[in-house]
Amino acid sequence: MSTLPPCPKCNSEYTYEDGAMLVCPECAHEWSATAAAEGAGEDARVIKDSVGNVLQDGDTITVIKDLKVKGSSLVVKVGTKVKNIRLVDGDHDIDCKIDGIGAMKLKSEFVKKV
Ligand SMILES: [Zn+2]
């Protein structure tokens, strides 16, 4: 009768729409229908660079500002090219390896896709 997703909290199938929200009558959980659609699996998370390009695993990016490497005196210079990035969860959402520095994590807001 309905194609609404089950409640993310209790898995009840009796969810109903209330405006832009979905409501579960069994545990009273309310959530946004749009967020539910976007949040379908972690792979659906979209990470964008500083200018709005969507980043993917294996992309090559350049750094758009000097970035200090935590716990060292090293600096990743603006314009540094980084190949084969890997997207991860967290505040620093790019995992990568930089020549001369090694493995480190970057914030997507400080990079640009090549
Ligand atoms: Zn529920």
Side-chain angles (χ1 to χ4, degrees):
M1 61 171 215
S2 133
T3 54
L4 293 173
C7 171
K9 275 208 167 161
C10 70
N11 277 319
S12 164
E13 291 168 17
Y14 303 106
T15 51
Y16 61 90
E17 279 176 296
D18 183 12
M21 303 295 285
L22 294 174
V23 183
C24 171
E26 297 197 24
C27 72
H29 181 53
E30 291 184 25
W31 68 103
S32 149
T34 13
E38 284 169 4
E42 277 176 43
D43 289 341
R45 196 162 89 102
V46 174
I47 296 178
K48 291 180 180 170
D49 71 4
S50 57
V51 293
N53 292 315
V54 175
L55 296 171
Q56 290 178 315
D57 285 353
D59 274 352
T60 300
I61 50 101
T62 56
V63 176
I64 60 161
K65 62 173 260 182
D66 287 355
L67 299 171
K68 283 195 183 124
V69 181
K70 239 186 188 170
S72 84
S73 58
L74 296 168
V75 174
V76 180
K77 291 273 186 203
V78 55
T80 301
K81 211 177 216 182
V82 184
K83 286 181 191 163
N84 202 16
I85 61 166
R86 204 167 62 85
L87 302 178
V88 293
D89 279 333
D91 177 33
H92 290 63
D93 40 21
I94 297 172
D95 209 356
C96 62
K97 217 169 176 184
I98 299 177
D99 290 343
I101 290 177
M104 75 173 282
K105 289 189 171 177
L106 299 173
K107 288 190 182 185
S108 52
E109 62 194 278
F110 298 138
V111 306
K112 195 169 158 234
K113 189 169 169 171
V114 178

